Amino acid sequence: MKRTAADIPYTQDEQDLATFAKALSHPVRVQILKLLSNQSCCFTGELTGIIPMAQSTISQHLKALLDAGLIQGEINPPRVKYCINRANWEQANALFATLFTPDHEETCCS
């Protein structure tokens, strides 16, 4: 019988890391995170002035980052203010650090 992803017991850290990685899978989202990580907050209109894309496209990317928990938003009609979700940002940083830190020094492909 063939096993599926649902049959494999993933840890919460593995699931969280995959969620963060998926959110980072587009260069525009990486660019948005870089911009937000260097300032306290940013409004959607400011992002469309910096990133040459339609507001609707930027909004789709912001939604992906919101869904992953990497950013948070505050709605004050007609504007929406975004900032880094610091707790999840630190968690993502720690999870990626463990991913890229080898458990051993041996390499099989050298």
Side-chain angles (χ1 to χ4, degrees):
M1 176 185 257
K2 196 171 192 176
R3 290 181 64 152
T4 65
D7 298 330
I8 301 169
Y10 299 108
T11 67
Q12 187 62 50
D13 282 351
E14 290 167 337
Q15 292 176 43
D16 291 345
L17 181 59
T19 298
F20 294 142
K22 184 177 179 182
L24 294 169
S25 68
H26 196 286
V28 170
R29 295 183 203 145
V30 173
Q31 188 177 26
I32 290 169
L33 287 171
K34 281 182 168 183
L35 290 166
L36 291 177
S37 69
N38 289 316
Q39 54 196 48
S40 62
C41 69
C42 190
F43 293 95
T44 306
E46 294 170 339
L47 289 173
T48 57
I50 298 168
I51 301 170
M53 297 187 127
Q55 191 272 330
S56 60
T57 303
I58 299 271
S59 292
Q60 289 175 348
H61 289 297
L62 288 167
K63 182 179 179 338
L65 294 170
L66 276 166
D67 290 347
L70 290 170
I71 64 172
Q72 55 195 24
E74 182 180 304
I75 301 171
N76 290 324
R79 298 171 60 154
V80 182
K81 178 173 64 172
Y82 293 97
C83 63
I84 294 290
N85 180 322
R86 293 290 170 198
N88 289 346
W89 185 254
E90 290 173 15
Q91 180 192 14
N93 184 34
L95 290 172
F96 277 106
T98 61
L99 176 66
F100 293 118
T101 303
D103 290 337
H104 52 80
E105 296 297 319
E106 296 178 31
T107 60
C108 67
C109 299
S110 53

